[in-house]
Amino acid sequence: IKQVPIGGDGGWDYVTVDPQAHRLYVAHATRVVVVDIDAGRVVGEIPDTPGVHGFAVAPDLGRGYTSNGRANTSTIVDLKTLKALGTVATGGNPDAIFYEPSTHEVYTMNGTGKSATVFNGATGAVVATIALGGKPEAVAQDVATGRLFVNLEDTAAIAVIDSSSHALKATWPLAGCEEPTGL
């Protein structure tokens, strides 16, 4: 329908839509490019996010969170100013990132760490590190059961996390699947 030039060098990864603010967040190498969806133009940038993979939005907190793969961190960002408010140490190579609004917690899926880091979205305090037994990629939530489902690329399985106890509840093998990368 419409093209929005982003520009710049480096790789791309996840894009995140904030339907309330009508913004699109594009993870791009060492920054997150912010696009006004209605205007169809770039309106800002979140710099200094080395190896950024994704961006999670917490509209209720007025914050966003990056997964900085090369820095093993997440940057906490003010959604209005796009300025960094702080960083949180994560496991190795955080990839997918997810905000759980009922608990106000952020989950990073740490590729080389083979874990998930859970931190408080308001304070940045790490709440838990969950060993997953494989390299996580994407994450999806089932609100009704309070569970998160994470595909494990290197073991061809789905990890099932209970979000209330921050515990790995099951690992489901995906027979015949090789390196699942999406969920």
Side-chain angles (χ1 to χ4, degrees), residues 12-140:
W12 308 83
D13 211 335
Y14 294 99
V15 295
T16 302
V17 175
D18 180 348
Q20 292 178 356
H22 302 265
R23 285 184 167 178
L24 177 71
Y25 296 89
V26 182
H28 185 39
T30 60
R31 65 192 177 284
V32 176
V33 179
V34 184
V35 176
D36 179 313
I37 296 170
D38 295 333
R41 64 182 178 86
V42 173
V43 294
E45 193 171 280
I46 303 163
D48 304 320
T49 57
V52 66
H53 287 279
F55 192 76
V57 177
D60 58 325
L61 298 177
R63 295 184 175 185
Y65 311 89
T66 65
S67 57
N68 308 324
R70 287 197 313 256
N72 302 329
T73 62
S74 174
T75 302
I76 302 171
V77 177
D78 181 297
L79 289 176
K80 288 193 189 321
T81 66
L82 302 179
K83 302 293 181 199
L85 300 172
T87 58
V88 177
T90 66
N93 190 27
D95 194 338
I97 188 163
F98 177 79
Y99 175 67
E100 204 298 299
S102 68
T103 60
H104 307 289
E105 291 176 336
V106 179
Y107 288 72
T108 62
M109 299 301 140
N110 310 314
T112 59
K114 297 186 177 187
S115 65
T117 299
V118 185
F119 64 90
N120 182 296
T123 67
V126 173
V127 176
T129 300
I130 306 164
L132 298 175
K135 182 180 182 237
E137 178 71 17
V139 59

